[in-house]
PDB file of all heavy atoms in Angstrom:
ATOM      1  N   GLU A 143     -21.181  -8.170   2.303  1.00  0.00           N
ATOM      2  CA  GLU A 143     -21.562  -9.076   3.460  1.00  0.00           C
ATOM      3  C   GLU A 143     -21.227  -8.296   4.737  1.00  0.00           C
ATOM      4  O   GLU A 143     -21.948  -8.399   5.773  1.00  0.00           O
ATOM      5  CB  GLU A 143     -20.934 -10.388   3.390  1.00  0.00           C
ATOM      6  CG  GLU A 143     -21.554 -11.278   2.513  1.00  0.00           C
ATOM      7  CD  GLU A 143     -20.862 -12.620   2.194  1.00  0.00           C
ATOM      8  OE1 GLU A 143     -19.838 -12.794   2.732  1.00  0.00           O
ATOM      9  OE2 GLU A 143     -21.470 -13.467   1.467  1.00  0.00           O
ATOM     10  N   GLN A 144     -20.162  -7.580   4.799  1.00  0.00           N
ATOM     11  CA  GLN A 144     -19.741  -6.806   5.956  1.00  0.00           C
ATOM     12  C   GLN A 144     -20.558  -5.608   6.297  1.00  0.00           C
ATOM     13  O   GLN A 144     -20.675  -5.221   7.476  1.00  0.00           O
ATOM     14  CB  GLN A 144     -18.183  -6.380   5.825  1.00  0.00           C
ATOM     15  CG  GLN A 144     -17.288  -7.628   5.837  1.00  0.00           C
ATOM     16  CD  GLN A 144     -15.817  -7.155   5.889  1.00  0.00           C
ATOM     17  OE1 GLN A 144     -15.468  -6.311   6.638  1.00  0.00           O
ATOM     18  NE2 GLN A 144     -15.072  -7.811   5.129  1.00  0.00           N
ATOM     19  N   TYR A 145     -21.007  -4.953   5.257  1.00  0.00           N
ATOM     20  CA  TYR A 145     -21.734  -3.696   5.356  1.00  0.00           C
ATOM     21  C   TYR A 145     -23.120  -3.732   4.777  1.00  0.00           C
ATOM     22  O   TYR A 145     -23.637  -2.665   4.389  1.00  0.00           O
ATOM     23  CB  TYR A 145     -20.943  -2.535   4.759  1.00  0.00           C
ATOM     24  CG  TYR A 145     -19.459  -2.465   5.255  1.00  0.00           C
ATOM     25  CD1 TYR A 145     -18.415  -2.901   4.598  1.00  0.00           C
ATOM     26  CD2 TYR A 145     -19.290  -1.999   6.450  1.00  0.00           C
ATOM     27  CE1 TYR A 145     -17.114  -2.800   5.085  1.00  0.00           C
ATOM     28  CE2 TYR A 145     -17.932  -1.853   7.037  1.00  0.00           C
ATOM     29  CZ  TYR A 145     -16.902  -2.298   6.275  1.00  0.00           C
ATOM     30  OH  TYR A 145     -15.622  -2.242   6.781  1.00  0.00           O
ATOM     31  N   GLN A 146     -23.727  -4.854   4.668  1.00  0.00           N
ATOM     32  CA  GLN A 146     -25.012  -4.992   3.911  1.00  0.00           C
ATOM     33  C   GLN A 146     -26.163  -4.020   4.282  1.00  0.00           C
ATOM     34  O   GLN A 146     -26.749  -3.415   3.517  1.00  0.00           O
ATOM     35  CB  GLN A 146     -25.498  -6.429   3.898  1.00  0.00           C
ATOM     36  CG  GLN A 146     -26.740  -6.644   3.063  1.00  0.00           C
ATOM     37  CD  GLN A 146     -27.025  -8.106   2.845  1.00  0.00           C
ATOM     38  OE1 GLN A 146     -26.388  -8.973   3.409  1.00  0.00           O
ATOM     39  NE2 GLN A 146     -28.053  -8.275   2.102  1.00  0.00           N
ATOM     40  N   GLU A 147     -26.415  -3.968   5.550  1.00  0.00           N
ATOM     41  CA  GLU A 147     -27.501  -3.198   6.006  1.00  0.00           C
ATOM     42  C   GLU A 147     -27.297  -1.647   5.799  1.00  0.00           C
ATOM     43  O   GLU A 147     -28.164  -0.892   5.289  1.00  0.00           O
ATOM     44  CB  GLU A 147     -27.751  -3.313   7.465  1.00  0.00           C
ATOM     45  CG  GLU A 147     -28.292  -4.784   7.838  1.00  0.00           C
ATOM     46  CD  GLU A 147     -29.555  -5.136   6.963  1.00  0.00           C
ATOM     47  OE1 GLU A 147     -30.527  -4.420   6.841  1.00  0.00           O
ATOM     48  OE2 GLU A 147     -29.446  -6.295   6.394  1.00  0.00           O
ATOM     49  N   ILE A 148     -26.089  -1.168   6.012  1.00  0.00           N
ATOM     50  CA  ILE A 148     -25.698   0.140   5.724  1.00  0.00           C
ATOM     51  C   ILE A 148     -25.778   0.489   4.272  1.00  0.00           C
ATOM     52  O   ILE A 148     -26.374   1.488   3.827  1.00  0.00           O
ATOM     53  CB  ILE A 148     -24.309   0.448   6.260  1.00  0.00           C
ATOM     54  CG1 ILE A 148     -24.328   0.373   7.762  1.00  0.00           C
ATOM     55  CG2 ILE A 148     -23.897   1.880   5.835  1.00  0.00           C
ATOM     56  CD1 ILE A 148     -22.900   0.450   8.435  1.00  0.00           C
ATOM     57  N   LEU A 149     -25.237  -0.493   3.465  1.00  0.00           N
ATOM     58  CA  LEU A 149     -25.196  -0.271   1.983  1.00  0.00           C
ATOM     59  C   LEU A 149     -26.687  -0.221   1.405  1.00  0.00           C
ATOM     60  O   LEU A 149     -26.964   0.524   0.533  1.00  0.00           O
ATOM     61  CB  LEU A 149     -24.361  -1.349   1.366  1.00  0.00           C
ATOM     62  CG  LEU A 149     -22.826  -1.266   1.614  1.00  0.00           C
ATOM     63  CD1 LEU A 149     -22.134  -2.549   1.083  1.00  0.00           C
ATOM     64  CD2 LEU A 149     -22.239  -0.020   0.948  1.00  0.00           C
ATOM     65  N   LYS A 150     -27.435  -1.171   1.928  1.00  0.00           N
ATOM     66  CA  LYS A 150     -28.824  -1.250   1.343  1.00  0.00           C
ATOM     67  C   LYS A 150     -29.599   0.069   1.783  1.00  0.00           C
ATOM     68  O   LYS A 150     -30.247   0.563   0.864  1.00  0.00           O
ATOM     69  CB  LYS A 150     -29.480  -2.379   2.075  1.00  0.00           C
ATOM     70  CG  LYS A 150     -30.727  -2.954   1.311  1.00  0.00           C
ATOM     71  CD  LYS A 150     -31.125  -4.178   1.969  1.00  0.00           C
ATOM     72  CE  LYS A 150     -32.092  -4.964   0.952  1.00  0.00           C
ATOM     73  NZ  LYS A 150     -32.489  -6.331   1.385  1.00  0.00           N
ATOM     74  N   ALA A 151     -29.316   0.594   2.817  1.00  0.00           N
ATOM     75  CA  ALA A 151     -29.987   1.845   3.244  1.00  0.00           C
ATOM     76  C   ALA A 151     -29.477   3.023   2.417  1.00  0.00           C
ATOM     77  O   ALA A 151     -30.283   3.847   1.943  1.00  0.00           O
ATOM     78  CB  ALA A 151     -29.802   2.137   4.717  1.00  0.00           C
ATOM     79  N   ILE A 152     -28.228   3.032   2.058  1.00  0.00           N
ATOM     80  CA  ILE A 152     -27.667   4.156   1.266  1.00  0.00           C
ATOM     81  C   ILE A 152     -28.092   3.995  -0.127  1.00  0.00           C
ATOM     82  O   ILE A 152     -28.517   5.056  -0.708  1.00  0.00           O
ATOM     83  CB  ILE A 152     -26.046   4.062   1.343  1.00  0.00           C
ATOM     84  CG1 ILE A 152     -25.554   4.492   2.745  1.00  0.00           C
ATOM     85  CG2 ILE A 152     -25.483   4.903   0.324  1.00  0.00           C
ATOM     86  CD1 ILE A 152     -24.153   4.207   3.011  1.00  0.00           C
ATOM     87  N   ILE A 153     -28.102   2.896  -0.683  1.00  0.00           N
ATOM     88  CA  ILE A 153     -28.568   2.628  -2.070  1.00  0.00           C
ATOM     89  C   ILE A 153     -30.006   3.002  -2.214  1.00  0.00           C
ATOM     90  O   ILE A 153     -30.411   3.580  -3.199  1.00  0.00           O
ATOM     91  CB  ILE A 153     -28.216   1.166  -2.491  1.00  0.00           C
ATOM     92  CG1 ILE A 153     -26.702   1.219  -2.753  1.00  0.00           C
ATOM     93  CG2 ILE A 153     -29.005   0.810  -3.773  1.00  0.00           C
ATOM     94  CD1 ILE A 153     -26.236  -0.186  -3.132  1.00  0.00           C
ATOM     95  N   SER A 154     -30.833   2.671  -1.188  1.00  0.00           N
ATOM     96  CA  SER A 154     -32.251   2.986  -1.309  1.00  0.00           C
ATOM     97  C   SER A 154     -32.493   4.473  -1.242  1.00  0.00           C
ATOM     98  O   SER A 154     -33.442   4.949  -1.805  1.00  0.00           O
ATOM     99  CB  SER A 154     -32.993   2.295  -0.086  1.00  0.00           C
ATOM    100  OG  SER A 154     -33.047   0.925  -0.199  1.00  0.00           O
ATOM    101  N   LYS A 155     -31.537   5.157  -0.583  1.00  0.00           N
ATOM    102  CA  LYS A 155     -31.713   6.639  -0.654  1.00  0.00           C
ATOM    103  C   LYS A 155     -31.136   7.257  -1.947  1.00  0.00           C
ATOM    104  O   LYS A 155     -31.649   8.298  -2.388  1.00  0.00           O
ATOM    105  CB  LYS A 155     -30.967   7.247   0.640  1.00  0.00           C
ATOM    106  CG  LYS A 155     -31.772   6.960   1.834  1.00  0.00           C
ATOM    107  CD  LYS A 155     -31.009   7.636   3.117  1.00  0.00           C
ATOM    108  CE  LYS A 155     -31.779   7.265   4.320  1.00  0.00           C
ATOM    109  NZ  LYS A 155     -31.033   7.765   5.531  1.00  0.00           N
ATOM    110  N   ARG A 156     -30.116   6.665  -2.379  1.00  0.00           N
ATOM    111  CA  ARG A 156     -29.446   7.222  -3.568  1.00  0.00           C
ATOM    112  C   ARG A 156     -30.223   6.970  -4.846  1.00  0.00           C
ATOM    113  O   ARG A 156     -30.263   7.768  -5.749  1.00  0.00           O
ATOM    114  CB  ARG A 156     -27.915   6.591  -3.663  1.00  0.00           C
ATOM    115  CG  ARG A 156     -27.287   7.141  -4.928  1.00  0.00           C
ATOM    116  CD  ARG A 156     -25.867   6.638  -4.972  1.00  0.00           C
ATOM    117  NE  ARG A 156     -25.104   7.229  -6.108  1.00  0.00           N
ATOM    118  CZ  ARG A 156     -23.951   7.167  -6.284  1.00  0.00           C
ATOM    119  NH1 ARG A 156     -23.161   6.529  -5.447  1.00  0.00           N
ATOM    120  NH2 ARG A 156     -23.410   7.692  -7.444  1.00  0.00           N
ATOM    121  N   PHE A 157     -30.819   5.786  -5.007  1.00  0.00           N
ATOM    122  CA  PHE A 157     -31.432   5.415  -6.255  1.00  0.00           C
ATOM    123  C   PHE A 157     -32.974   5.135  -6.078  1.00  0.00           C
ATOM    124  O   PHE A 157     -33.306   4.485  -4.992  1.00  0.00           O
ATOM    125  CB  PHE A 157     -30.777   4.098  -6.822  1.00  0.00           C
ATOM    126  CG  PHE A 157     -29.428   4.223  -7.207  1.00  0.00           C
ATOM    127  CD1 PHE A 157     -28.399   3.597  -6.397  1.00  0.00           C
ATOM    128  CD2 PHE A 157     -28.828   5.016  -8.240  1.00  0.00           C
ATOM    129  CE1 PHE A 157     -27.052   3.618  -6.714  1.00  0.00           C
ATOM    130  CE2 PHE A 157     -27.591   5.122  -8.489  1.00  0.00           C
ATOM    131  CZ  PHE A 157     -26.632   4.462  -7.657  1.00  0.00           C
ATOM    132  N   SER A 158     -33.701   5.593  -6.896  1.00  0.00           N
ATOM    133  CA  SER A 158     -35.184   5.382  -6.865  1.00  0.00           C
ATOM    134  C   SER A 158     -35.542   4.214  -7.855  1.00  0.00           C
ATOM    135  O   SER A 158     -36.574   3.620  -7.601  1.00  0.00           O
ATOM    136  CB  SER A 158     -36.032   6.632  -7.274  1.00  0.00           C
ATOM    137  OG  SER A 158     -35.638   7.650  -6.382  1.00  0.00           O
ATOM    138  N   TYR A 159     -34.707   3.917  -8.818  1.00  0.00           N
ATOM    139  CA  TYR A 159     -34.938   2.925  -9.794  1.00  0.00           C
ATOM    140  C   TYR A 159     -33.781   2.132 -10.141  1.00  0.00           C
ATOM    141  O   TYR A 159     -32.636   2.667 -10.091  1.00  0.00           O
ATOM    142  CB  TYR A 159     -35.442   3.581 -11.059  1.00  0.00           C
ATOM    143  CG  TYR A 159     -36.706   4.464 -10.988  1.00  0.00           C
ATOM    144  CD1 TYR A 159     -36.527   5.881 -10.796  1.00  0.00           C
ATOM    145  CD2 TYR A 159     -37.997   3.961 -11.044  1.00  0.00           C
ATOM    146  CE1 TYR A 159     -37.696   6.641 -10.708  1.00  0.00           C
ATOM    147  CE2 TYR A 159     -39.062   4.766 -10.944  1.00  0.00           C
ATOM    148  CZ  TYR A 159     -38.919   6.169 -10.829  1.00  0.00           C
ATOM    149  OH  TYR A 159     -39.990   6.933 -10.640  1.00  0.00           O
ATOM    150  N   LEU A 160     -33.982   0.835 -10.352  1.00  0.00           N
ATOM    151  CA  LEU A 160     -32.945   0.039 -10.962  1.00  0.00           C
ATOM    152  C   LEU A 160     -33.440  -0.589 -12.210  1.00  0.00           C
ATOM    153  O   LEU A 160     -34.576  -1.299 -12.219  1.00  0.00           O
ATOM    154  CB  LEU A 160     -32.566  -1.070  -9.992  1.00  0.00           C
ATOM    155  CG  LEU A 160     -31.699  -2.250 -10.618  1.00  0.00           C
ATOM    156  CD1 LEU A 160     -30.255  -1.696 -11.052  1.00  0.00           C
ATOM    157  CD2 LEU A 160     -31.476  -3.376  -9.648  1.00  0.00           C
ATOM    158  N   LEU A 161     -32.802  -0.285 -13.327  1.00  0.00           N
ATOM    159  CA  LEU A 161     -33.169  -0.902 -14.582  1.00  0.00           C
ATOM    160  C   LEU A 161     -32.077  -1.860 -14.957  1.00  0.00           C
ATOM    161  O   LEU A 161     -30.913  -1.460 -15.194  1.00  0.00           O
ATOM    162  CB  LEU A 161     -33.252   0.237 -15.744  1.00  0.00           C
ATOM    163  CG  LEU A 161     -34.269   1.278 -15.433  1.00  0.00           C
ATOM    164  CD1 LEU A 161     -34.243   2.326 -16.495  1.00  0.00           C
ATOM    165  CD2 LEU A 161     -35.723   0.757 -15.116  1.00  0.00           C
TER     166      LEU A 161
END
Side-chain angles (χ1 to χ4, degrees):
E143 285 173 351
Q144 292 186 45
Y145 304 104
Q146 185 171 1
E147 294 308 313
I148 295 168
L149 292 170
K150 201 170 196 174
I152 291 168
I153 286 175
S154 292
K155 288 181 181 176
R156 179 174 180 172
F157 300 110
S158 300
Y159 302 94
L160 167 64
L161 306 177

